[in-house]
Amino acid sequence: MPAEKVFVPPDYQRPTESPPEVAAIPFRQRSAVTEPVWVRTILIVVAVGFVGLFLLLPLVFVFVQAFSMGFGEYFEQLSEPYAQSAIRLTLLVTAIAVPANLVFGIAASWAIAKFEFKGKAFLITLIDLPFSVSPVIAGLVYVLLFGAQGYFGPWLEANDIQIIFAVPGIVLATIFVTFPFVARELIPLMQEQGTGDEEAALSLGASGFKTFLFVTLPNVKWALLYGVLLCNARAMGEFGAVSVLSGRIQGFTNTMPLQIEAASKEFSRTAEVAAFSMASLLALLALVTLILKTFLEWRYADRLSSSAQAH
Amino acid sequence: MEIRIANVRKEFGRFPALHDVSLNIRSGELIALLGPSGSGKTTLLRLIAGLEHTTVGKIYFGDEDASQKSIQDRNVGFVFQHYALFKHLTIADNIGFGLRVRPRATRPSRKEIRRRASELLDLVQLPGLDRRLPRQLSGGQRQRVALARALAIEPRVLLLDEPFGALDAQVRRDLRRWLRELHDKTGHTTVFVTHDQEEALELADRVVVMSQGRIEQVGGADDIYDAPASPFVFSFIGESSSLPILVRDGEAFFEDERVSLPVRDCEAGPSRLFIRPHDIDVVADGGGTFSGNVTMVRRNGGGRRVELAIGSGGHRVEIEVPAEVAPAIGSTISIRPRRWRVYADAAPTGPVTTAAAMKAAEPSRAVAAE
Ligand SMILES: Nc1ncnc2c1ncn2[C@@H]1O[C@H](COP(=O)(O)OP(=O)(O)OP(=O)(O)O)[C@@H](O)[C@H]1O
Ligand SMILES: [Mg+2]
């Protein structure tokens, strides 16, 4: 509202600089939203206590257990054939699922942010589906589709293609659960940026592909990296959907999380170290992800979309 | 490059943003699209560029039909209102972008691109800024970089959408003069959009006045100002007041009383009289054409503005008087228009949609007094 429209009655007097009742309060520069010291102390202690008890302690415990029989045993367990196979499988699945979702995420957010089409809102909802559906159900749906009794079962069998209880099934499950991560980072950012830069590039004679490569991609690269990071962490750690689809054959279809569970069910000291040594790898991945994520948020906050920081 | 826009219609969904627009732009001309917000200026500019495609009608560049060509093939320089500089590229890379993305066969060498970029930076009077990033420049500097970037591809036409819209008044004025000089130096056919009439009238060779998806008038500053083709143009350009009158038997009637206004050449029927504040004389002793009560007096630069309520309808008319004259509120003043125009009222149709109805609404019945 323009300042000149503010009505000021002629007998209006400015309030005196510091009302006495405020000056009497002993706290220096106390603002309206600042609680008394004891309230603040309790809140902080409770928060730190919870984080320590439920997040930090288990993490520390993982490493303590992993090294409980010494470094030698730790590396011994990690080089067991089953452990090696699980690590390889997890890396393989991640190496397929993350690029797949990278491509899908870019395509979907490009379509959603830069074009108008019917059913757009529905597509956005659909992308979020894996967040709201239990991974186990997702796994079961794939079993229903591709299992021996499923819709495509007979056809797959006739053509000798194995999806369920094999690597393709695990990849499918992982792609499903990590579906939204890249797209969710890119969509709000691309929508915010609009199509102005792309139009400028096109008007300067750039082809669609060069426009994407030289203009669109650089504009979203940090958000993209952020999404890939989260996608990667989730892909390596996914348990529910994968456990339904893998069949859990040690040495063949056990990923790292499944191998951890398998080892933890054997009640022996070495099995325990086996489970926790593998868990320590995942914990390490989580830590690295966290550090990179924090770095991205700190360094490129302005170039991630505002929703990215809400994660 | 001569541009011919032939009977172009543009719809967004079912909403018509442009109705049957035709316009010839001469080679080397600097032309302004002027009109209120939503009148379709940007839409027309984007159609010329190829950022949008016409629903009906064609656009010719010289003799060739450009309507079917993609934006890349039209070879136009487009300057966006918010610059749309590439944030992650240096100024030099921004300017060289159009050259860098060419297919290998026609792409100049890196060195050549760099040389051209610094040449263009000199042209837009920003030498030595090639290493900077867009965010390290002021708004006016960014606008000039955007222009240099558009010029780098040696466009056949230069299109600017509210090039100075986001800048403050002083910078606007400087850039305006600078753009005119640049245009005269490079000779590009240039179309720019503005809703600032002063900018349009001062800068352009010809002004295209638009309203509600139609072209109301095309002409030089004198034509537009002295011979407005429609009531819309009259009231949009400069200040004006209007009074409802009736023309019958070559005489004018205001509120059923005959007024001494020579309207012999005007079409009979209900009409509107348009006058500008500085084209009205104050007549002593009540001998004028109209008289009214003073409702407001306000100082306006070198003179004084007086608002009158005329007739029983209390129609507001603004007049300009010398600063020395200060009429009292409520006093009666008699006036006589020195220059005016009468436009017959359009038939009271709804929104005009068909070509036939458009003809009927055409302001050919306007008659002016000198
Ligand atoms: N992409 C679009 N989709 C739907 N309607 C549009 C689109 N672009 C423009 N319009 C409509 O077309 C009409 C003309 O818009 P345009 O942008 O050409 O106006 P303008 O004269 O440039 O106005 P301004 O001075 O505000 O920029 C407006 O009513 C606008 O709402
Ligand atoms: Mg516009």
Side-chain angles (χ1 to χ4, degrees), chain B residues 297-332:
Chain B
V297 181
R298 103 187 106 79
R299 184 64 198 245
N300 177 289
R304 210 180 282 281
R305 276 301 158 84
V306 177
E307 193 185 88
L308 303 176
I310 292 183
S312 55
H315 300 282
R316 301 289 148 132
V317 169
E318 268 201 13
I319 63 173
E320 187 157 296
V321 298
E324 302 83 60
V325 184
I329 303 271
S331 60
T332 303

Side-chain angles (χ1 to χ4, degrees), chain A residues 116, chain B residues 10-13 15-18 34-46 52 81 161-162 193-195 210 213:
Chain A
E116 291 301 327
Chain B
K10 175 65 184 173
E11 291 170 10
F12 292 108
F15 173 81
L18 288 178
L34 174 68
S37 190
S39 54
K41 309 180 292 289
T42 300
T43 304
L44 183 55
L45 200 71
R46 289 171 62 89
E52 309 276 0
Q81 180 171 3
D161 192 359
E162 303 209 21
V193 163
T194 179
H195 56 232
M210 297 183 64

Side-chain angles (χ1 to χ4, degrees), chain B residues 313-358:
Chain B
H315 300 282
R316 301 289 148 132
V317 169
E318 268 201 13
I319 63 173
E320 187 157 296
V321 298
E324 302 83 60
V325 184
I329 303 271
S331 60
T332 303
I333 288 186
S334 186
I335 57 169
R336 184 189 301 133
R338 201 168 348 111
R339 281 147 57 105
W340 73 90
R341 287 179 83 84
V342 172
Y343 298 92
D345 283 354
T349 51
V352 187
T353 42
T354 64
M358 250 184 72

Side-chain angles (χ1 to χ4, degrees), chain A residues 196-197 199-208 210 214-215 218-219 303, chain B residues 46 51 71-72 76 78 80 84-88 97-98 101-102 149 153:
Chain A
D197 282 11
E199 287 184 341
L202 293 174
S203 78
L204 291 168
S207 63
K210 279 185 172 163
F214 294 141
V215 174
N219 273 342
R303 269 167 272 177
Chain B
R46 289 171 62 89
L51 286 165
I71 176 161
Q72 289 99 336
V76 296
F78 201 103
F80 295 82
L85 294 180
F86 306 126
K87 292 178 272 303
H88 59 287
F97 186 89
V101 295
R102 283 193 184 162
R149 184 178 69 174
I153 61 169

